[in-house]
Coordinates of all heavy atoms in Angstrom, one line a residue:
M1 N -2.0 -26.9 2.7 CA -2.3 -25.5 2.8 C -1.1 -24.8 3.3 O -0.5 -25.1 4.3 CB -3.5 -25.3 3.9 CG -4.1 -23.9 3.8 SD -5.2 -23.7 2.4 CE -5.4 -21.9 2.6
T2 N -0.6 -23.9 2.5 CA 0.6 -23.1 2.9 C 0.2 -22.0 3.8 O -0.9 -21.5 3.8 CB 1.3 -22.6 1.6 OG1 0.3 -21.8 0.8 CG2 1.8 -23.7 0.8
Q3 N 1.2 -21.6 4.5 CA 1.0 -20.5 5.5 C 0.7 -19.2 4.7 O 1.4 -18.8 3.7 CB 2.3 -20.3 6.3 CG 2.2 -19.3 7.5 CD 1.4 -20.0 8.6 OE1 1.4 -21.1 8.8 NE2 0.6 -19.1 9.3
R4 N -0.3 -18.5 5.2 CA -0.6 -17.2 4.6 C 0.2 -16.1 5.2 O 0.4 -16.0 6.4 CB -2.1 -16.9 4.7 CG -3.0 -17.8 4.0 CD -4.4 -17.4 4.0 NE -5.2 -18.2 3.2 CZ -6.4 -17.8 2.6 NH1 -6.8 -16.6 2.8 NH2 -7.0 -18.6 1.8
Q5 N 0.6 -15.2 4.3 CA 1.3 -14.0 4.8 C 0.3 -12.9 5.1 O -0.5 -12.7 4.3 CB 2.3 -13.5 3.8 CG 3.6 -14.3 3.7 CD 4.6 -13.6 2.9 OE1 4.9 -12.4 3.1 NE2 5.2 -14.2 1.9
P6 N 0.5 -12.2 6.2 CA -0.5 -11.2 6.5 C -0.5 -10.0 5.5 O -1.5 -9.3 5.4 CB -0.1 -10.7 7.9 CG 1.3 -11.1 8.1 CD 1.5 -12.4 7.2
R7 N 0.6 -9.8 4.8 CA 0.7 -8.7 3.9 C 0.4 -9.0 2.5 O 0.6 -8.2 1.6 CB 2.1 -8.0 4.0 CG 2.5 -7.3 5.3 CD 3.8 -6.7 5.2 NE 4.8 -7.6 4.7 CZ 5.4 -8.5 5.5 NH1 5.1 -8.6 6.8 NH2 6.3 -9.3 5.0
R8 N -0.2 -10.2 2.3 CA -0.6 -10.6 1.0 C -2.1 -10.8 0.9 O -2.7 -11.2 1.9 CB 0.1 -11.9 0.6 CG 1.6 -11.8 0.4 CD 1.9 -10.9 -0.8 NE 3.4 -10.8 -1.0 CZ 4.2 -9.9 -0.4 NH1 3.6 -9.0 0.4 NH2 5.4 -9.9 -0.6
A9 N -2.6 -10.6 -0.3 CA -4.1 -10.8 -0.5 C -4.2 -12.2 -1.2 O -3.3 -12.7 -1.9 CB -4.6 -9.7 -1.5
Y10 N -5.4 -12.8 -0.9 CA -5.7 -14.1 -1.4 C -7.0 -14.2 -2.1 O -8.0 -13.5 -1.6 CB -5.6 -15.2 -0.3 CG -4.2 -15.3 0.3 CD1 -3.8 -14.5 1.3 CD2 -3.3 -16.2 -0.2 CE1 -2.5 -14.6 1.8 CE2 -2.0 -16.3 0.3 CZ -1.6 -15.5 1.3 OH -0.4 -15.6 1.8
D11 N -7.2 -14.9 -3.1 CA -8.5 -15.0 -3.8 C -9.3 -16.1 -3.1 O -8.9 -16.7 -2.1 CB -8.3 -15.3 -5.3 CG -7.7 -16.7 -5.5 OD1 -7.7 -17.5 -4.7 OD2 -7.2 -16.9 -6.7
E12 N -10.5 -16.4 -3.6 CA -11.4 -17.3 -2.9 C -10.9 -18.7 -2.8 O -11.2 -19.5 -1.9 CB -12.8 -17.4 -3.7 CG -13.4 -16.0 -4.1 CD -12.8 -15.5 -5.4 OE1 -13.1 -16.1 -6.4 OE2 -12.1 -14.5 -5.3
Q13 N -10.0 -19.1 -3.7 CA -9.4 -20.4 -3.7 C -8.1 -20.4 -2.8 O -7.4 -21.5 -2.8 CB -9.0 -20.9 -5.1 CG -10.2 -21.5 -5.9 CD -11.1 -20.3 -6.5 OE1 -10.6 -19.4 -7.0 NE2 -12.4 -20.5 -6.3
G14 N -7.8 -19.4 -2.2 CA -6.6 -19.3 -1.3 C -5.3 -19.1 -2.0 O -4.3 -19.3 -1.4
R15 N -5.4 -18.8 -3.3 CA -4.2 -18.5 -4.0 C -3.7 -17.1 -3.8 O -4.5 -16.2 -3.7 CB -4.4 -18.7 -5.5 CG -4.6 -20.2 -5.9 CD -4.9 -20.3 -7.4 NE -6.2 -19.5 -7.7 CZ -7.1 -20.0 -8.6 NH1 -6.9 -21.1 -9.3 NH2 -8.1 -19.3 -8.8
E16 N -2.4 -16.9 -3.6 CA -1.9 -15.6 -3.4 C -2.0 -14.7 -4.6 O -1.8 -15.1 -5.7 CB -0.4 -15.7 -3.0 CG 0.2 -14.3 -2.6 CD 1.7 -14.5 -2.2 OE1 2.0 -15.4 -1.5 OE2 2.5 -13.6 -2.7
I17 N -2.5 -13.5 -4.3 CA -2.6 -12.5 -5.4 C -1.4 -11.7 -5.4 O -1.1 -11.1 -4.4 CB -3.9 -11.6 -5.2 CG1 -5.1 -12.5 -5.2 CG2 -3.9 -10.5 -6.3 CD1 -6.4 -11.7 -4.7
P18 N -0.5 -11.7 -6.4 CA 0.7 -11.0 -6.4 C 0.5 -9.5 -6.1 O -0.3 -8.9 -6.8 CB 1.3 -11.3 -7.7 CG 0.6 -12.4 -8.3 CD -0.8 -12.4 -7.7
P19 N 1.1 -9.0 -5.1 CA 0.9 -7.5 -4.9 C 1.6 -6.7 -5.9 O 2.6 -7.1 -6.5 CB 1.5 -7.3 -3.5 CG 2.6 -8.4 -3.5 CD 2.1 -9.5 -4.2
P20 N 1.1 -5.5 -6.2 CA 1.8 -4.6 -7.1 C 3.1 -4.2 -6.5 O 3.2 -4.0 -5.3 CB 0.8 -3.4 -7.3 CG 0.0 -3.4 -6.0 CD -0.1 -4.9 -5.6
T21 N 4.1 -4.0 -7.4 CA 5.3 -3.4 -6.9 C 5.3 -1.9 -7.0 O 4.3 -1.3 -7.6 CB 6.5 -3.9 -7.8 OG1 6.3 -3.4 -9.1 CG2 6.6 -5.4 -7.8
L22 N 6.2 -1.2 -6.4 CA 6.3 0.2 -6.5 C 6.4 0.7 -7.9 O 5.9 1.7 -8.3 CB 7.4 0.8 -5.6 CG 7.2 0.5 -4.1 CD1 8.4 1.1 -3.3 CD2 5.9 1.2 -3.6
A23 N 7.1 -0.1 -8.7 CA 7.2 0.3 -10.2 C 5.8 0.3 -10.8 O 5.5 1.1 -11.6 CB 8.2 -0.7 -10.9
D24 N 5.0 -0.8 -10.5 CA 3.6 -0.8 -11.0 C 2.9 0.5 -10.7 O 2.2 1.1 -11.5 CB 2.9 -2.0 -10.5 CG 3.5 -3.3 -11.0 OD1 4.1 -3.3 -12.1 OD2 3.4 -4.3 -10.3
L25 N 3.0 0.8 -9.4 CA 2.2 2.0 -8.9 C 2.7 3.3 -9.5 O 2.0 4.2 -9.8 CB 2.2 2.1 -7.4 CG 1.7 0.8 -6.7 CD1 1.6 1.1 -5.2 CD2 0.3 0.5 -7.2
R26 N 4.1 3.4 -9.6 CA 4.6 4.6 -10.2 C 4.2 4.7 -11.7 O 4.0 5.8 -12.2 CB 6.2 4.6 -10.1 CG 6.6 4.8 -8.7 CD 8.1 4.5 -8.5 NE 8.5 4.6 -7.1 CZ 9.6 4.1 -6.6 NH1 10.5 3.6 -7.4 NH2 9.8 4.2 -5.3
A27 N 4.0 3.6 -12.3 CA 3.6 3.6 -13.7 C 2.1 4.2 -13.8 O 1.8 4.8 -14.8 CB 3.6 2.2 -14.3
E28 N 1.4 4.1 -12.7 CA 0.0 4.7 -12.6 C 0.1 6.1 -12.1 O -1.0 6.7 -11.9 CB -0.9 3.8 -11.7 CG -1.1 2.4 -12.3 CD -1.9 1.6 -11.3 OE1 -2.7 2.2 -10.6 OE2 -1.7 0.4 -11.2
G29 N 1.3 6.6 -11.8 CA 1.4 7.9 -11.2 C 1.2 8.0 -9.7 O 1.0 9.0 -9.2
D30 N 1.3 6.8 -9.1 CA 1.1 6.7 -7.7 C 2.4 6.7 -6.9 O 3.2 5.7 -7.0 CB 0.3 5.4 -7.4 CG -0.5 5.4 -6.1 OD1 -0.4 6.4 -5.4 OD2 -1.2 4.4 -5.9
R31 N 2.7 7.8 -6.3 CA 4.0 7.9 -5.6 C 3.9 8.2 -4.1 O 4.9 8.6 -3.5 CB 4.8 9.1 -6.3 CG 5.0 9.0 -7.8 CD 5.9 10.0 -8.3 NE 7.3 9.6 -8.1 CZ 8.0 8.8 -8.9 NH1 7.5 8.4 -10.0 NH2 9.2 8.5 -8.6
T32 N 2.7 8.0 -3.5 CA 2.6 8.2 -2.1 C 1.8 7.0 -1.5 O 1.2 6.2 -2.3 CB 1.7 9.4 -1.8 OG1 0.5 9.4 -2.5 CG2 2.5 10.7 -2.2
A33 N 2.0 6.8 -0.2 CA 1.3 5.7 0.5 C 0.7 6.2 1.8 O 1.2 7.1 2.4 CB 2.2 4.6 0.8
F34 N -0.5 5.7 2.1 CA -1.1 6.0 3.4 C -0.6 5.0 4.5 O -0.7 3.8 4.3 CB -2.6 6.0 3.3 CG -3.3 6.2 4.5 CD1 -3.4 7.5 5.1 CD2 -4.0 5.2 5.2 CE1 -4.1 7.8 6.2 CE2 -4.7 5.4 6.4 CZ -4.7 6.7 6.9
V35 N 0.0 5.5 5.5 CA 0.6 4.7 6.6 C -0.2 4.9 7.9 O -0.5 6.0 8.2 CB 2.1 5.0 6.8 CG1 2.7 4.1 7.8 CG2 2.8 5.0 5.4
H36 N -0.5 3.8 8.6 CA -1.2 3.9 9.8 C -0.6 3.0 10.9 O -0.1 2.0 10.6 CB -2.7 3.6 9.6 CG -2.9 2.3 9.0 ND1 -3.2 1.1 9.8 CD2 -2.9 1.9 7.7 CE1 -3.3 0.1 9.0 NE2 -3.2 0.5 7.7
C37 N -0.6 3.5 12.1 CA 0.0 2.8 13.2 C -1.1 1.9 13.8 O -2.2 2.4 14.1 CB 0.6 3.7 14.3 SG 1.2 2.9 15.7
D38 N -0.8 0.6 14.0 CA -1.8 -0.3 14.6 C -1.6 -0.5 16.1 O -2.3 -1.4 16.6 CB -1.7 -1.6 13.8 CG -2.2 -1.5 12.4 OD1 -3.0 -0.6 12.1 OD2 -1.8 -2.4 11.5
A39 N -0.7 0.2 16.7 CA -0.5 0.0 18.1 C -1.7 0.5 18.9 O -2.3 1.5 18.5 CB 0.8 0.7 18.6
T40 N -2.1 -0.3 19.9 CA -3.2 0.1 20.7 C -3.1 1.5 21.3 O -2.1 1.8 21.9 CB -3.4 -0.9 21.9 OG1 -3.4 -2.2 21.3 CG2 -4.7 -0.6 22.6
G41 N -4.1 2.3 21.1 CA -4.1 3.6 21.6 C -3.3 4.7 20.9 O -3.3 5.8 21.3
C42 N -2.7 4.3 19.8 CA -1.9 5.3 19.0 C -2.8 5.8 17.9 O -3.3 6.9 17.9 CB -0.6 4.7 18.5 SG 0.4 5.9 17.6
G43 N -2.9 5.1 16.8 CA -3.7 5.5 15.7 C -3.1 6.6 14.8 O -3.7 7.3 14.0
H44 N -1.7 6.8 15.0 CA -1.1 7.8 14.1 C -1.2 7.5 12.7 O -1.0 6.3 12.3 CB 0.4 7.9 14.6 CG 1.2 8.9 13.8 ND1 1.0 10.3 13.9 CD2 2.2 8.8 13.0 CE1 1.8 10.9 13.2 NE2 2.6 10.1 12.6
E45 N -1.4 8.5 11.8 CA -1.6 8.3 10.4 C -0.7 9.3 9.6 O -0.5 10.4 10.1 CB -3.0 8.4 10.0 CG -4.0 7.5 10.6 CD -5.4 7.8 10.2 OE1 -5.7 8.9 9.7 OE2 -6.3 6.9 10.5
A46 N -0.3 8.9 8.5 CA 0.5 9.8 7.7 C 0.5 9.4 6.2 O 0.3 8.2 5.9 CB 2.0 9.9 8.2
T47 N 0.7 10.3 5.4 CA 0.9 10.0 4.0 C 2.4 10.2 3.6 O 2.9 11.3 3.9 CB 0.0 10.9 3.1 OG1 -1.3 10.7 3.4 CG2 0.2 10.5 1.6
I48 N 3.0 9.2 3.1 CA 4.5 9.3 2.9 C 4.8 9.1 1.4 O 4.0 8.6 0.7 CB 5.3 8.3 3.7 CG1 4.9 6.9 3.2 CG2 5.0 8.4 5.2 CD1 5.9 5.8 3.7
S49 N 5.9 9.6 1.0 CA 6.4 9.4 -0.4 C 7.0 8.0 -0.5 O 7.7 7.6 0.4 CB 7.4 10.5 -0.7 OG 8.1 10.1 -1.9
T50 N 6.7 7.3 -1.6 CA 7.3 6.0 -1.8 C 8.6 6.1 -2.6 O 9.2 5.1 -2.9 CB 6.3 5.1 -2.5 OG1 6.0 5.6 -3.7 CG2 5.1 4.8 -1.6
D51 N 9.1 7.3 -2.9 CA 10.3 7.5 -3.7 C 11.5 6.9 -3.1 O 12.5 6.6 -3.7 CB 10.5 9.0 -4.0 CG 9.4 9.5 -5.0 OD1 8.7 8.7 -5.6 OD2 9.4 10.7 -5.2
Q52 N 11.5 6.8 -1.7 CA 12.7 6.3 -1.0 C 12.9 4.8 -1.1 O 13.9 4.3 -0.7 CB 12.5 6.7 0.5 CG 11.3 6.1 1.1 CD 11.0 6.7 2.5 OE1 11.8 6.7 3.4 NE2 9.8 7.3 2.7
F53 N 11.9 4.1 -1.6 CA 11.9 2.6 -1.7 C 12.3 2.1 -3.1 O 11.9 2.8 -4.1 CB 10.6 2.0 -1.3 CG 10.2 2.4 0.1 CD1 9.2 3.4 0.3 CD2 10.8 1.8 1.2 CE1 8.9 3.8 1.6 CE2 10.4 2.2 2.5 CZ 9.5 3.2 2.7
P54 N 12.9 1.0 -3.2 CA 13.3 0.5 -4.5 C 12.1 0.1 -5.4 O 11.1 -0.4 -4.8 CB 14.2 -0.8 -4.2 CG 13.8 -1.1 -2.8 CD 13.4 0.1 -2.1
A55 N 12.2 0.2 -6.7 CA 11.1 0.0 -7.6 C 10.5 -1.4 -7.6 O 9.3 -1.6 -7.7 CB 11.5 0.4 -9.0
E56 N 11.4 -2.4 -7.3 CA 11.0 -3.8 -7.4 C 10.3 -4.2 -6.1 O 9.9 -5.4 -6.0 CB 12.2 -4.7 -7.8 CG 13.2 -4.8 -6.7 CD 14.3 -3.6 -6.8 OE1 14.0 -2.7 -7.5 OE2 15.3 -3.7 -6.1
M57 N 10.3 -3.4 -5.1 CA 9.7 -3.8 -3.8 C 8.2 -3.9 -3.9 O 7.5 -3.0 -4.4 CB 10.1 -2.7 -2.7 CG 9.6 -3.1 -1.3 SD 10.1 -1.8 -0.1 CE 11.5 -2.6 0.6
P58 N 7.6 -5.1 -3.4 CA 6.2 -5.2 -3.4 C 5.6 -4.1 -2.5 O 6.1 -3.9 -1.4 CB 5.9 -6.6 -2.8 CG 7.2 -7.3 -3.0 CD 8.3 -6.3 -2.9
F59 N 4.5 -3.5 -2.9 CA 4.0 -2.3 -2.2 C 3.8 -2.6 -0.7 O 4.1 -1.8 0.2 CB 2.7 -1.9 -2.8 CG 2.0 -0.8 -2.0 CD1 2.5 0.5 -2.0 CD2 0.9 -1.1 -1.3 CE1 1.9 1.5 -1.2 CE2 0.2 -0.1 -0.5 CZ 0.8 1.2 -0.5
P60 N 3.1 -3.8 -0.3 CA 2.9 -4.0 1.2 C 4.1 -4.1 2.0 O 4.1 -3.8 3.2 CB 2.1 -5.4 1.2 CG 1.6 -5.6 -0.2 CD 2.6 -4.9 -1.1
D61 N 5.3 -4.4 1.4 CA 6.5 -4.6 2.1 C 7.2 -3.3 2.5 O 8.1 -3.3 3.3 CB 7.5 -5.4 1.3 CG 7.1 -6.9 1.2 OD1 6.1 -7.2 1.9 OD2 7.7 -7.6 0.5
I62 N 6.7 -2.1 2.1 CA 7.3 -0.9 2.5 C 7.0 -0.7 4.0 O 7.7 0.2 4.6 CB 6.8 0.3 1.7 CG1 5.3 0.7 2.0 CG2 7.1 0.1 0.2 CD1 4.9 2.0 1.3
A63 N 6.0 -1.4 4.6 CA 5.8 -1.3 6.0 C 6.9 -1.8 6.8 O 7.1 -1.4 8.0 CB 4.5 -2.0 6.4
L64 N 7.7 -2.8 6.3 CA 8.7 -3.5 7.1 C 9.7 -2.6 7.8 O 10.0 -2.8 8.9 CB 9.4 -4.5 6.2 CG 8.4 -5.7 5.7 CD1 9.2 -6.7 4.9 CD2 7.8 -6.4 6.9
P65 N 10.3 -1.6 7.1 CA 11.3 -0.8 7.7 C 10.8 0.4 8.5 O 11.5 1.1 9.1 CB 12.2 -0.3 6.6 CG 11.3 -0.3 5.4 CD 10.3 -1.4 5.6
L66 N 9.4 0.5 8.4 CA 8.9 1.7 9.0 C 8.6 1.6 10.5 O 8.3 0.5 11.0 CB 7.5 2.1 8.3 CG 7.6 2.4 6.8 CD1 6.2 2.7 6.3 CD2 8.5 3.6 6.6
R67 N 8.7 2.7 11.2 CA 8.4 2.8 12.6 C 7.6 4.0 12.8 O 7.8 5.0 12.2 CB 9.8 2.9 13.3 CG 9.7 2.8 14.8 CD 11.1 2.9 15.4 NE 11.9 1.8 15.2 CZ 11.9 0.7 16.0 NH1 11.1 0.7 17.1 NH2 12.7 -0.3 15.8
C68 N 6.6 3.8 13.7 CA 5.7 4.9 13.9 C 6.4 6.1 14.5 O 7.2 6.0 15.4 CB 4.6 4.5 14.9 SG 3.5 5.8 15.4
A69 N 6.1 7.3 13.9 CA 6.8 8.5 14.3 C 6.3 9.0 15.6 O 6.9 9.8 16.3 CB 6.7 9.6 13.2
A70 N 5.1 8.6 16.0 CA 4.5 9.1 17.3 C 4.9 8.2 18.5 O 5.2 8.7 19.5 CB 3.0 9.1 17.1
C71 N 4.8 6.9 18.3 CA 5.0 6.0 19.5 C 6.1 5.0 19.3 O 6.5 4.3 20.2 CB 3.7 5.2 19.8 SG 3.3 3.9 18.6
G72 N 6.7 4.9 18.1 CA 7.9 4.1 17.9 C 7.5 2.6 17.6 O 8.4 1.8 17.5
S73 N 6.2 2.3 17.5 CA 5.8 1.0 17.2 C 6.2 0.5 15.8 O 6.3 1.3 14.9 CB 4.3 0.8 17.4 OG 3.8 -0.4 16.9
K74 N 6.4 -0.8 15.7 CA 6.7 -1.4 14.4 C 5.4 -2.0 13.8 O 5.4 -2.6 12.7 CB 7.7 -2.5 14.5 CG 9.1 -2.0 14.9 CD 9.9 -1.4 13.7 CE 10.3 -2.4 12.7 NZ 11.0 -1.8 11.6
E75 N 4.3 -1.9 14.5 CA 3.0 -2.4 14.0 C 2.4 -1.3 13.1 O 1.5 -0.6 13.4 CB 2.0 -2.6 15.2 CG 2.4 -3.7 16.1 CD 1.4 -3.9 17.2 OE1 0.3 -4.2 16.9 OE2 1.8 -3.7 18.4
V76 N 3.0 -1.3 11.9 CA 2.7 -0.3 10.9 C 2.0 -0.9 9.7 O 2.5 -2.0 9.3 CB 3.9 0.5 10.4 CG1 3.6 1.4 9.3 CG2 4.5 1.3 11.6
G77 N 0.9 -0.4 9.3 CA 0.2 -0.9 8.1 C 0.2 0.1 7.0 O 0.3 1.3 7.3
V78 N 0.2 -0.3 5.8 CA 0.2 0.6 4.7 C -1.0 0.3 3.8 O -1.4 -0.8 3.6 CB 1.5 0.6 3.8 CG1 2.7 1.0 4.7 CG2 1.7 -0.8 3.3
M79 N -1.5 1.4 3.2 CA -2.6 1.2 2.2 C -2.2 2.2 1.0 O -1.4 3.1 1.2 CB -3.9 1.7 2.8 CG -4.5 0.7 3.8 SD -5.9 1.5 4.7 CE -6.8 2.2 3.4
R80 N -2.8 1.9 -0.1 CA -2.6 2.8 -1.2 C -3.2 4.2 -0.8 O -4.3 4.2 -0.2 CB -3.2 2.3 -2.5 CG -2.4 1.1 -3.0 CD -2.8 0.6 -4.3 NE -2.6 1.6 -5.4 CZ -2.8 1.4 -6.7 NH1 -3.3 0.3 -7.0 NH2 -2.6 2.4 -7.5
D81 N -2.6 5.2 -1.2 CA -3.1 6.6 -0.9 C -4.3 6.9 -1.8 O -4.2 7.6 -2.8 CB -2.0 7.6 -1.1 CG -2.4 9.0 -0.9 OD1 -3.4 9.2 -0.2 OD2 -1.7 9.9 -1.3
V82 N -5.5 6.4 -1.3 CA -6.7 6.6 -2.2 C -7.1 8.0 -2.3 O -7.7 8.4 -3.3 CB -7.9 5.7 -1.6 CG1 -7.6 4.2 -1.8 CG2 -8.1 6.0 -0.2
V83 N -6.8 8.8 -1.3 CA -7.2 10.3 -1.5 C -6.4 10.9 -2.6 O -6.9 11.6 -3.5 CB -6.8 11.0 -0.2 CG1 -7.1 12.5 -0.3 CG2 -7.7 10.5 1.0
G84 N -5.1 10.5 -2.7 CA -4.3 11.0 -3.8 C -4.8 10.4 -5.2 O -4.8 11.2 -6.2
I85 N -5.2 9.2 -5.2 CA -5.6 8.5 -6.4 C -6.9 9.2 -6.9 O -7.0 9.6 -8.1 CB -5.9 7.0 -6.2 CG1 -4.6 6.3 -5.9 CG2 -6.6 6.4 -7.4 CD1 -4.8 4.9 -5.4
Y86 N -7.8 9.5 -6.0 CA -9.1 10.0 -6.4 C -9.0 11.5 -6.7 O -9.8 12.1 -7.4 CB -10.2 9.8 -5.4 CG -10.6 8.4 -5.2 CD1 -11.0 7.9 -4.0 CD2 -10.4 7.5 -6.2 CE1 -11.4 6.6 -3.8 CE2 -10.8 6.2 -6.1 CZ -11.2 5.7 -4.9 OH -11.5 4.4 -4.7
A87 N -7.9 12.1 -6.2 CA -7.7 13.6 -6.5 C -7.2 13.8 -7.9 O -7.2 15.0 -8.3 CB -6.8 14.2 -5.4
R88 N -6.7 12.8 -8.5 CA -6.1 13.0 -9.9 C -7.2 13.4 -10.8 O -8.4 13.1 -10.7 CB -5.5 11.7 -10.4 CG -4.1 11.5 -9.8 CD -3.5 10.2 -10.4 NE -2.9 9.5 -9.4 CZ -2.8 8.2 -9.3 NH1 -3.4 7.5 -10.2 NH2 -2.2 7.6 -8.3
P89 N -6.8 14.2 -11.8 CA -7.9 14.6 -12.8 C -8.6 13.5 -13.4 O -8.0 12.5 -13.9 CB -7.0 15.4 -13.8 CG -5.7 15.7 -13.1 CD -5.5 14.7 -12.1
R90 N -9.9 13.6 -13.4 CA -10.7 12.5 -13.9 C -10.7 12.5 -15.5 O -11.1 11.5 -16.1 CB -12.2 12.7 -13.5 CG -12.3 12.5 -12.0 CD -13.7 12.7 -11.5 NE -13.8 12.5 -10.1 CZ -14.9 12.4 -9.4 NH1 -16.1 12.6 -10.0 NH2 -14.9 12.2 -8.1
E91 N -10.2 13.6 -16.1 CA -10.2 13.6 -17.5 C -9.3 12.5 -18.1 O -9.5 12.1 -19.2 CB -9.7 15.0 -18.0 CG -10.6 16.1 -17.7 CD -10.5 16.6 -16.2 OE1 -9.4 16.8 -15.8 OE2 -11.5 16.6 -15.5
R92 N -8.3 12.1 -17.3 CA -7.4 11.1 -17.8 C -8.1 9.8 -18.2 O -7.8 9.1 -19.1 CB -6.3 10.8 -16.8 CG -5.1 11.5 -17.1 CD -4.0 11.4 -16.0 NE -3.7 10.0 -15.7 CZ -2.9 9.6 -14.8 NH1 -2.2 10.5 -14.1 NH2 -2.6 8.3 -14.6
T93 N -9.1 9.4 -17.4 CA -9.9 8.2 -17.7 C -11.3 8.4 -18.1 O -11.9 7.6 -18.7 CB -10.0 7.3 -16.4 OG1 -10.5 8.1 -15.3 CG2 -8.6 6.8 -16.0
G94 N -11.8 9.6 -17.9 CA -13.1 10.0 -18.3 C -14.2 9.6 -17.4 O -15.4 9.9 -17.6
W95 N -13.8 8.9 -16.3 CA -14.8 8.6 -15.3 C -14.2 8.6 -13.9 O -13.0 8.6 -13.8 CB -15.5 7.2 -15.6 CG -14.5 6.1 -15.6 CD1 -13.8 5.7 -16.6 CD2 -14.1 5.2 -14.5 NE1 -12.9 4.7 -16.3 CE2 -13.2 4.4 -15.0 CE3 -14.6 5.2 -13.2 CZ2 -12.6 3.4 -14.2 CZ3 -14.0 4.2 -12.4 CH2 -13.0 3.3 -12.9
G96 N -15.1 8.6 -12.9 CA -14.5 8.7 -11.5 C -15.5 8.0 -10.6 O -16.6 7.7 -10.9
M97 N -15.1 7.9 -9.4 CA -15.9 7.3 -8.3 C -16.8 8.5 -7.8 O -16.4 9.6 -7.7 CB -15.1 6.8 -7.1 CG -14.0 5.8 -7.6 SD -14.7 4.2 -7.9 CE -15.0 3.6 -6.2
T98 N -18.1 8.1 -7.5 CA -19.0 9.1 -7.0 C -19.2 8.9 -5.5 O -19.0 7.8 -5.0 CB -20.3 9.1 -7.7 OG1 -20.8 7.8 -7.7 CG2 -20.1 9.6 -9.1
Ligands
ZN1 ZN1 2.1 4.7 16.9

């Protein structure tokens, strides 16, 4: 059993699911990320542009150089900016989440 990385997803068999790169997300029109501070008692959240990161960078790894703007913690987590994704015009796909 190989060591699991906390920033990677795994399927039911424990195989690593390759994360999307920023290039993959940009191809979908996704240029922002939701960032949250995991430090106890902070909870600072922000939506940032991913344009400052290289295209080949795996999306979860953009957390590595980040530091919380409120408390200075390096315990930063990132998620895809689902608000931005759902805010896109539904006409492009013809359906949306309800
Ligand atoms: Zn913080």
Side-chain angles (χ1 to χ4, degrees):
M1 193 76 190
T2 52
Q3 189 75 33
R4 292 187 175 208
Q5 283 194 49
R7 289 184 311 281
R8 291 294 182 270
Y10 295 87
D11 66 16
E12 312 85 68
Q13 279 78 45
R15 289 176 300 217
E16 183 179 319
I17 300 169
T21 63
L22 292 178
D24 293 332
L25 300 188
R26 285 168 191 166
E28 298 177 28
D30 204 355
R31 307 188 77 88
T32 53
F34 177 72
V35 183
H36 55 94
C37 177
D38 291 334
T40 306
C42 181
H44 182 65
E45 300 175 343
T47 300
I48 64 166
S49 168
T50 58
D51 289 350
Q52 60 191 304
F53 301 102
E56 68 275 10
M57 182 178 262
F59 174 73
D61 288 355
I62 69 173
L64 294 179
L66 297 178
R67 186 180 289 274
C68 176
C71 74
S73 170
K74 294 283 287 178
E75 292 180 63
V76 173
V78 295
M79 289 167 46
R80 292 187 64 177
D81 178 19
V82 290
V83 175
I85 292 169
Y86 293 153
R88 280 183 221 146
R90 294 180 178 186
E91 294 78 53
R92 262 175 53 182
T93 54
W95 59 275
M97 305 284 284
T98 54

